[in-house]
Amino acid sequence: MATAQPGGACPPPGEDFQHLAAGNVEVAYRWDPRALKVGQFFSADVIACRLPAGISRIAIDATMPAHGHGMNYLPKATETAPGHYRFTGLMLHMPGRWQLTIELYDGNTLVHRLIRDLDLKP
Amino acid sequence: MRLAATTILAALVVSPGPATAQHLSPPYTEAERAAILAHGPWPPLATRDPSNRVSGNAQAIALGRKLFLDKRLSRERNRACATCHDPARSFSDGRPRSLGRSLHDRNAIALANLRLNRWFGWAGAADSLWAQSIRPILDDKELGLTPSLLRERLSADKRTASHYHRVFGVAAGADDPERLLVNVAKALAAYQETLVTGRTPFDDFRDAIASDDRAAQARYPLAAQRGLQIFVGKGRCAACHFGPNFTTGEFEDVGIPFFAEKGRVDSGRHGGIAALRTSPYNLLGRFNDDPAHATGLATRHVEPLHRNWGEFRVPSLRNVARTAPYMHNGSLPSLAAVARHYSELDEERLHGTPDKRLLKPLRLSSQEKADLVAFLQMLSSKVESRR
């Protein structure tokens, strides 16, 4: 979880960054390493391109909806530039369908949850 | 769906002729094939442990092997690491719960392929093999030594003391007792990480699937092929027993009661994380030889969760047929009992809501349970010390 602020224009969609948007919210993200593997730690670079007023914090999470559990590790965030974040310590420990979520908070209140579905192959 | 699966299995049982009966037809779905291939190749490349400066060091391995068998590492000089991790029993002891200086709460985990672990022990209270090796030396229920007593015994034996000096560059008698304890554990780890299992009939079959070698596939027993199909399919075993070492290396609650005795709970992973975080020997501490502490990534990010109560580490299934009994408390005596357990799971015992659980009773037929066991029996191989 990190203190959120707008990071400026999103980079163009391409092999590197992917976009998630809903209403007046838009974020760009990429994984490091780019290809996710079961049981391998990865980081996420996130740019908060457009944020509505009042958003103060940004977080990332992942869950397996069919199994009712999330990750076993808590990602930690660093702001690398205004509105640019690096989350470390993500790990998807099982193959199957995961939902990666980028969450935006006003204080402790969850305001937006942007969801990316991911089928993690064996 | 269940009816369809039953029909296919029945057809396989009666299909005639050796040419068609030795492999499943159609062989596997793309998803099954991918899941099977993910369990190899084997063996993996040997790697050094950056957190242990004597990992891979021949002198340290020899010292570690000697100490592994040395009963002077127990207070009463009557037990060694090898007592519960017996080389003649695939480095386990065959007992439900191990007997050290008193009865332990948990089953002795068989030692092999340990460089592939992220966590050690049933609760993952250690994040390195050398840290895990410290615990039984000090544990009053196991070997019951103190660092000072360990130093006294090592330095009293000229040959062992000389060996220690050659490996660590300091005389045992002059070393700080805690530093000596850690060094002994690192030598023990250097030896234990050489213990690996060889190739199995499953590995040959898996490689034959990869190369689409139907003749080689046909050499794998049909019952094991059917069991494998359950393992990666309806059994969903491969969700947790995933990858070349047949484990995610993480923790699950699989419905085994976690009372160590009446009124006393074994908290499993929850307690493991608490112990890890307070341990002076974890990978975030001063004894980690990896200067960048990159090896401490998992430790930096692990946090206790409510669901960790009653979770225990998912064990590797390599050599599973040689390492009975099973589960953290050794409560299941045979692979048949394990298959029965997952077939008839007590859902009331599990965490989570019924529609959002990975584990559900499999309701396997007798034939399916036998096939699953036949597959598990194909994962055996001698444990060897290899560098």
Side-chain angles (χ1 to χ4, degrees), chain A residues 17-96:
Chain A
F17 279 91
Q18 300 184 58
H19 290 201
L20 284 171
N24 54 354
V25 176
E26 185 177 12
V27 299
Y29 67 91
R30 68 180 176 192
W31 316 129
D32 179 15
R34 302 287 185 268
L36 304 187
K37 290 185 180 174
V38 178
Q40 187 175 85
F41 278 101
F42 65 101
S43 301
D45 293 315
V46 177
I47 303 172
C49 314
R50 279 191 292 129
L51 291 182
I55 297 298
S56 57
R57 290 190 296 155
I58 184 167
I60 195 165
D61 199 2
T63 58
M64 289 192 96
H67 299 171
H69 67 70
M71 292 187 291
N72 289 341
Y73 300 91
L74 186 69
K76 292 180 179 167
T78 312
E79 188 167 17
T80 54
H84 292 231
Y85 309 93
R86 185 167 180 84
F87 292 89
T88 59
L90 293 112
M91 200 254 270
L92 312 179
H93 61 278
M94 268 184 197

Side-chain angles (χ1 to χ4, degrees), chain B residues 78-196:
Chain B
N78 61 354
R79 312 193 67 78
C81 305
T83 306
C84 295
H85 300 285
D86 182 353
R89 291 178 173 267
S90 298
F91 291 84
S92 59
D93 63 4
R95 300 176 57 91
R97 292 161 56 183
S98 290
L99 183 61
R101 298 177 74 232
S102 58
L103 187 63
H104 203 270
D105 286 344
R106 298 177 186 157
N107 174 261
I109 301 180
L111 304 181
N113 310 315
L114 297 169
R115 275 296 290 132
L116 302 177
N117 284 20
R118 181 180 300 115
W119 303 110
F120 297 83
W122 283 106
D127 54 5
S128 72
L129 182 52
W130 56 267
Q132 174 65 17
S133 302
I134 290 172
R135 191 194 51 74
I137 296 174
L138 300 182
D139 189 338
D140 212 40
K141 282 185 166 181
E142 298 198 38
L143 301 178
L145 276 194
T146 62
S148 299
L149 193 50
L150 178 63
R151 184 177 70 169
E152 184 185 312
R153 291 193 181 171
L154 244 65
S155 53
D157 174 356
K158 279 187 183 170
R159 288 184 67 177
T160 306
S162 165
H163 200 156
Y164 180 93
H165 197 169
R166 284 199 303 279
V167 173
F168 295 106
V170 56
D175 211 351
D176 167 70
E178 187 178 37
R179 173 65 65 179
L180 177 135
L181 169 70
V182 172
N183 284 344
V184 162
K186 286 180 176 174
L188 285 166
Y191 165 62
Q192 292 170 82
E193 66 191 20
T194 68
L195 303 174
V196 294

Side-chain angles (χ1 to χ4, degrees), chain A residues 38-41 65-76 88-91 93-95 121-122, chain B residues 34-35 38 118-119 236 238-240 242 248 250 252 297-298 300-303 305 307 355-358:
Chain A
V38 178
Q40 187 175 85
F41 278 101
H67 299 171
H69 67 70
M71 292 187 291
N72 289 341
Y73 300 91
L74 186 69
K76 292 180 179 167
T88 59
L90 293 112
M91 200 254 270
H93 61 278
M94 268 184 197
K121 301 289 187 193
Chain B
R118 181 180 300 115
W119 303 110
R236 302 198 290 181
C240 298
F242 175 84
T248 59
E250 293 292 321
E252 298 292 336
L297 178 65
R300 267 194 295 279
H301 287 278
V302 73
E303 293 284 338
L305 302 166
R307 68 176 162 84
D355 61 328
K356 287 190 174 180
R357 276 190 200 131
L358 172 61

Side-chain angles (χ1 to χ4, degrees), chain B residues 105-106 122-125 251-253 256-261 263-275 304-313 328 349 351:
Chain B
D105 286 344
R106 298 177 186 157
W122 283 106
F251 302 82
E252 298 292 336
D253 172 11
I256 298 294
F258 45 77
F259 281 96
E261 61 190 9
R264 187 167 63 86
V265 166
D266 183 340
S267 64
R269 180 57 171 156
H270 202 275
I273 293 174
L305 302 166
H306 180 71
R307 68 176 162 84
N308 295 140
W309 281 95
E311 287 185 340
F312 294 89
R313 189 159 61 84
H328 74 275
R349 165 59 193 78
H351 292 316

